Amino acid sequence: MSADIDLALLLGAAVVLIAVAAVRISTRFGFPSLLIYLGIGLLIGEGGLGIRFDDAELTRILGFCALIVIIAEGGLTARVSTLRPVLGLAALLSTAGVAVSIVAVGLVTHLLLGLDWRLALLYGAVLSSTDAAAVFATLRRLRLPPRLVATLEAESGMNDAPVVIVVVLLSTTGFVHPLWQELLIIGYELVAGAAIGYLVGVSGRWLLRHAALPSAGLYPIAAVALTVLAYAAGAVAHASGFLAVYVAGVLLGNARLPHRQAILGFADGLAWTAQIGLFVLLGLLASPDRLAGAFVEALVAGLALVLLARPLSVLVSALPYRLAGPLRRRIRLGWREQTFLSWAGLRGAVPIVLATIPLSASMPGARQLFDVVFVLVVIFTLVQGGTLAPLARRLGVVAEAEPAELSVETAPLDRVHADLLTLDIPPESRLRGVHVDELRLPVGASVTLVVRDGAGFVPSADTRLRAGDSLLIVATAEVREVAERRLRAVSRRGRLARWFNEYGADGGAPDPPRRDPRRH
């Protein structure tokens, strides 16, 4: 017995270390790390080392637990200032867009693959959910406009909720009530889930601020436990637990909590652990002998999803933003942005986990559905993940310079409610040649360090920025959004940003020029 445990620990540690090393490889070469994790699962499974695992019910339970952690981390790291303008679009993509995708994929698979309507719609439902882990891991490596990234991340955090409801209905009883009653039930679950997440987030924010816990390490544990509590409370109330997790995570992540950076770092580590365990487990559940027979169906369903269902769902969801003037001013949604949104609807572990729901319910055709979804995710993740960066450059939706928050624990910054940002200057950026004082950062924000050619120095007001420089910027919470807005404006217009009145771009009024500190 002891020897078996030791062997299991040895194998488990080896898998985790290989998976961690795979992140470095995927970052360097642009290869999706989730495919490496799935491959590890296949290698140690029945087709490789011979470990046999076929418990679909256990996979579903562990998969849901992993998704809770992944969605919680996505909510904790989302910025409300960026999320607020795109919340309506993300909600439409997660509801109306999901409905369009289910019908489109269901129609194609029914006509071309000869599936009955219930199974065809189940194909559409399982494949309609974008994957939070795949979206977060892929998009955060790209230089994209914040609102475009926020739209895709919010959609991936929100669309699991309605999709799970539909998949469970189709896998068990089906739609036994009239359609309007089913829609009312789905509406209740979404609204109640959001309300429960809001209550847990607001209550948890107050508790963490006033708890005065004896150890800094307890704050991350408490924060993650609150997001799990939101899921459990939602599930008990027959509401959407996944939506409750995301809402609670957003509220907690945007609060000025003690040891906030430690909370984010802990959640990030848990999310990586959940991703690795989930993908390896799904690889174990798959059978290599059956996957080859699912290739044709996976190709048909995948092409229907990528070329028809996803573009249609984006088009329908974006329609109000193309027609209504006030909405059009909140977020730019031209054909370039819509094309990128259509192609960037990444699928990953979520569709495979959802495919275990009918499998654990012993629904006819469920095993073939699982194999089809597995093959589809592998093929289209490889294709889409590798082409996102070139497509973004081709469409012109690449942001030249975007400030990013450093994930470091800095207790003095916590005490003054400030954040540490980093900004890299690529060769083509118009930040080249700009002097530090020409950034016109607001009072409360300052460039504290410039790293150039591997060496760091404290800049003066007349320091001229060069391509390849990395800037460390300290900004208080009150002026961080203004500072980011001004940096984006200068990255677009260079020294002329002030004259083009772009300091108020991205949703805000121009700020009055600050006094030159060299005159004091």
Side-chain angles (χ1 to χ4, degrees):
M1 183 69 178
S2 176
D4 292 340
I5 295 176
D6 293 340
L7 184 61
L9 289 174
L10 177 64
L11 181 60
V15 168
V16 171
L17 290 174
I18 293 172
V20 170
V23 177
R24 175 65 176 168
I25 297 172
S26 67
T27 302
R28 183 165 185 175
F29 298 102
F31 188 80
S33 58
L34 68 89
L35 296 184
I36 299 177
Y37 305 152
L38 288 174
I40 293 173
L42 289 171
L43 285 175
I44 64 177
E46 61 183 57
L49 296 181
I51 298 177
R52 183 173 180 81
F53 179 79
D54 56 1
D55 194 333
E57 178 64 19
L58 178 61
T59 303
R60 182 187 66 81
I61 294 171
L62 294 178
F64 273 41
C65 293
L67 290 180
I68 292 169
V69 175
I70 294 169
I71 293 173
E73 191 270 340
L76 287 168
T77 55
R79 294 283 309 283
V80 165
S81 59
T82 307
L83 189 61
R84 189 181 294 114
V86 303
L87 195 58
L89 177 59
L92 284 172
L93 285 168
S94 303
T95 50
V98 164
V100 170
S101 183
I102 292 174
V103 172
V105 173
L107 181 63
V108 172
T109 53
H110 172 71
L111 295 177
L112 297 185
L113 299 180
L115 304 178
D116 65 80
W117 275 112
R118 182 178 173 185
L119 186 58
L121 291 175
L122 187 59
Y123 270 68
V126 167
L127 294 173
S128 63
S129 179
T130 56
D131 183 69
V135 170
F136 297 157
T138 303
L139 294 183
R140 291 176 185 179
R141 298 200 306 263
L142 305 178
R143 294 183 179 275
L144 297 170
R147 293 185 180 179
L148 200 58
V149 175
T151 300
L152 289 164
E153 290 190 353
E155 179 199 5
S156 65
M158 295 165 63
N159 64 9
D160 294 336
V163 170
V164 168
I165 297 170
V166 175
V167 171
V168 170
L169 284 173
L170 289 171
S171 301
T172 53
T173 59
F175 291 97
V176 296
H177 301 103
L179 181 59
W180 65 271
Q181 288 187 17
E182 299 288 1
L183 292 176
L184 282 179
I185 293 172
I186 293 174
Y188 158 76
E189 295 196 15
L190 296 179
V191 172
I196 291 171
Y198 179 81
L199 290 175
V200 172
V202 171
S203 303
R205 185 171 60 188
W206 186 89
L207 287 172
L208 290 177
R209 282 175 175 171
H210 297 85
L213 298 176
S215 172
L218 294 175
Y219 285 93
I221 297 173
V224 173
L226 283 167
T227 61
V228 177
L229 175 65
Y231 175 85
V236 169
H238 299 287
S240 173
F242 288 116
L243 187 56
V245 168
Y246 188 74
V247 173
V250 169
L251 291 173
L252 292 171
N254 285 271
R256 303 304 304 184
L257 300 178
H259 305 286
R260 177 175 176 271
Q261 294 296 342
I263 292 172
L264 298 182
F266 180 74
D268 185 52
L270 277 182
W272 275 111
T273 305
Q275 289 181 49
I276 292 169
L278 176 58
F279 287 121
V280 171
L281 185 64
L282 293 173
L284 269 173
L285 186 63
S287 175
D289 295 335
R290 294 194 313 269
L291 295 181
F295 181 80
V296 174
E297 290 188 23
L299 198 59
V300 171
L303 290 175
L305 176 68
V306 173
L307 300 182
L308 177 64
R310 178 65 181 180
L312 272 179
S313 65
V314 171
L315 181 65
V316 170
S317 303
L319 197 58
Y321 288 82
R322 298 295 302 272
L323 299 178
L327 291 177
R328 190 166 60 243
R329 287 191 291 271
R330 294 185 69 183
I331 179 173
R332 180 182 176 184
L333 271 182
W335 69 269
R336 298 174 187 272
E337 288 78 15
Q338 290 188 57
T339 301
F340 188 81
L341 286 173
S342 299
W343 189 247
L346 300 176
R347 270 65 184 174
V350 173
I352 306 177
V353 171
L354 293 176
T356 63
I357 296 176
L359 191 60
S360 61
S362 301
M363 179 180 172
R367 174 59 69 178
Q368 182 68 8
L369 169 63
F370 179 87
D371 295 339
V372 167
V373 172
F374 191 97
V375 173
L376 184 151
V377 167
V378 170
I379 295 174
F380 285 89
T381 298
L382 188 61
V383 173
Q384 290 178 280
T387 56
L388 278 179
L391 179 65
R393 289 192 295 268
R394 183 84 175 180
L395 293 174
V397 295
V398 177
E400 291 184 349
E402 288 295 336
E405 185 173 1
L406 284 177
S407 297
V408 295
E409 175 62 17
T410 50
L413 292 181
D414 280 343
R415 287 200 294 269
V416 298
H417 303 303
D419 295 319
L420 184 62
L421 311 175
T422 180
L423 177 68
D424 297 324
I425 303 178
E428 67 278 6
S429 174
R430 293 192 178 183
L431 285 165
R432 289 183 310 155
V434 173
H435 293 88
V436 169
D437 62 345
E438 291 175 321
L439 296 175
R440 299 188 62 78
L441 295 176
V443 175
S446 176
V447 180
T448 59
L449 189 71
V450 175
V451 179
R452 179 178 294 166
D453 299 328
F457 62 92
V458 177
S460 62
D462 60 351
T463 297
R464 188 173 183 177
L465 303 179
R466 300 179 185 174
D469 284 354
S470 294
L471 313 184
L472 290 183
I473 304 164
V474 174
T476 61
E478 292 77 12
V479 302
R480 172 173 171 167
E481 187 176 351
V482 177
E484 291 185 354
R485 194 162 60 235
R486 290 187 174 182
L487 290 170
R488 294 187 191 108
V490 179
S491 73
R492 285 192 293 263
R493 298 289 189 176
R495 290 192 178 95
L496 300 178
R498 182 183 178 189
W499 303 106
F500 279 94
N501 196 29
E502 285 215 9
Y503 284 139
D506 295 329
D511 301 288
R514 73 170 188 174
R515 293 175 293 177
D516 190 339
R518 293 175 294 176
R519 297 178 184 174
H520 298 280

